[in-house]
């Protein structure tokens, strides 16, 4: 049974249109490469990236804060309700081999920090600045080059 | 995006050959119906049921106690390492719509109890006896009849 | 710094008057011996035992399912809000050296099972019957004899 | 039963001598005011602050990543083993009314972010810079003024 690589996408539940477009592009590239996308399952960056991944025929896993599968965005193929609230952030990080942080608020910052604490690579796209350990990139193409090296 | 129903299979990490056969048969029927199988991802009943589900082309999700995807049995398509130890039992229960308990030890008993506490249906096959709330059945066919009604 | 032994009391959030009296008596004996009482922090058996322990001057820790300290019963000196729902049951078990199960429903059964899975001793007072591994006793005095041997 | 206010101290498990001194001073002031100190229970800033709090006769609660009470530093009066690894960071944040961040690494940053996500006040002493939402202060006295206003 071939297990796909998991790429974690972290970012806020609401985002601007340009960030939505960027996240969708990242998701698309993940799906094209046969990797699975893991995220928090809600809106904004999570929705956009899951949408792109789905459009490329990829698998999307949404690790949800609440207890209802229906709270996932419509591009999540496999929603996992946890009931842990923000505690699900840790599970996104523990599941992923590599994380890509796109923009994001405090929830995203907690995931960046947890990932770096566990020595998991974090690639940053227009995200929290000046955090030592993040590999900052300027576009989707460069992000994919890093992910390809890392997985 | 069509989200599959999740059937949780709970049972011990080691089991007798007849129980292995029974769990495999249950997994096969789950896979045939297009449901996803959720379990704890390790050996015994978890392996047997994932094996059956995979043989029928179904999706298998393994919610693991440890931090390594590689600790999953080879029939798990989507392993989720949690690092929560027995805490992952709760996540199996929260993810599943219906649970089928096959034989099992104390870990299984904890999952039965958590599921009944949350008012999730639990179907019992040669499992912990005399627990009010479990729908005890005598074979795989009868278990599937119940699951079909419930999902 | 002397760390007290933790005795976990598990039992339902609602109970009959005789069970309330029994749990209060058990709590009183725990407090007298200088042990700390750990429980789920809500009503019924949890309240009664915390009340007894407090009356004897003992420390009571309530590991709560919700996010509000104020949801603890009034005999809890140190409420710990977790926001994990039933996930807090695992934390009660992991904290305690020995558990005493008094009556109880499915939540209690999950705690019994988790404790036995981790090889922690469980003493049973008018609780779930016929579970191998529970040391069933008939009164508070006998329960205390066992706890004294075990801690 | 009077429940104390909980002040969460977050900071790394190893620290310089000046930071150790600062954390100890903060802990001392917490203990003097009758507040309880909640932290992750290990070394460095956690140990220093617990030490100070204990010296003032205060209560110290250590929410531990592992399963052993004995892994707590010697100034923790009430160690709580969770077995959740970094997952215990969330519990420190959920327990505390106010958090004081002293220096710190990625674990601390995850706690800062989780706290701000939950709208809990975070006071910063020589800690991660430039995070909107943190109330940066320059010494223990100023930190205590803020805490006094907030609890």
């Amino acid at each position: 049974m071939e297990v796909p690589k998991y790429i974690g996408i972290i970012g806020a539940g609401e985002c601007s249109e340009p960030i939505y477009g960027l996240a969708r592009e990242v998701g698309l590239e993940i799906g094209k490469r046969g990797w699975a996308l893991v995220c928090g399952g809600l809106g904004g960056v999570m929705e956009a990236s899951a949408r792109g991944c789905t459009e490329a025929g990829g698998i999307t896993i949404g690790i949800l804060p609440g207890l209802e599968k229906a709270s996932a965005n419509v591009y999540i193929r496999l929603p996992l309700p946890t009931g842990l609230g923000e505690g699900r952030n840790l599970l996104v990080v523990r599941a992923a081999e590599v994380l890509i942080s796109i923009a994001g608020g405090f929830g995203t910052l907690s995931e960046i920090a947890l990932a770096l604490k566990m020595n998991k690579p974090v690639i940053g796209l227009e995200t929290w600045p000046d955090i030592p350990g993040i590999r900052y990139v300027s576009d989707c193409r460069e992000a994919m080059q890093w992910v390809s090296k890392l997985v």
Side-chain angles (χ1 to χ4, degrees), chain A:
Chain A
M1 177 114 286
E2 205 185 343
V3 172
K5 297 292 180 187
Y6 296 169
I7 313 303
I9 299 289
I10 54 181
E14 296 185 5
C15 66
S16 68
E17 229 172 284
I19 291 293
Y20 192 97
L22 177 60
R24 188 171 170 186
E25 187 189 355
V26 169
L28 193 80
E29 295 301 319
I30 288 170
K32 278 186 191 168
R33 284 161 175 78
W35 299 325
L37 185 149
V38 177
C39 70
L42 301 182
V45 163
M46 298 174 264
E47 179 187 307
S49 59
R51 184 172 178 176
C53 186
T54 291
E55 286 163 347
I59 289 179
T60 51
I61 301 170
I63 302 180
L64 298 162
L67 289 168
E68 301 301 328
K69 284 164 85 177
S71 63
N73 71 65
V74 297
Y75 305 104
I76 296 294
R77 171 102 165 92
L78 296 171
L80 277 175
T82 69
L84 301 179
E86 298 298 324
R88 71 84 148 79
N89 295 11
L90 180 69
L91 296 177
V92 171
V93 173
R94 284 185 169 167
E97 264 95 19
V98 179
L99 292 110
I100 303 175
S101 179
I102 303 175
F106 290 126
T108 307
L109 182 59
S110 77
E111 294 167 311
I112 290 170
L114 289 166
L116 294 173
K117 175 77 179 174
M118 296 176 213
N119 294 311
K120 298 212 176 183
V122 179
I123 293 161
L125 265 168
E126 313 213 8
T127 194
W128 286 86
D130 300 323
I131 296 181
I134 293 186
R135 294 164 200 261
Y136 292 98
V137 296
S138 50
D139 58 19
C140 175
R141 196 185 52 79
E142 202 187 341
M144 288 303 119
Q145 286 174 342
W146 271 110
V147 178
S148 298
K149 275 185 211 164
L150 291 163
V151 296

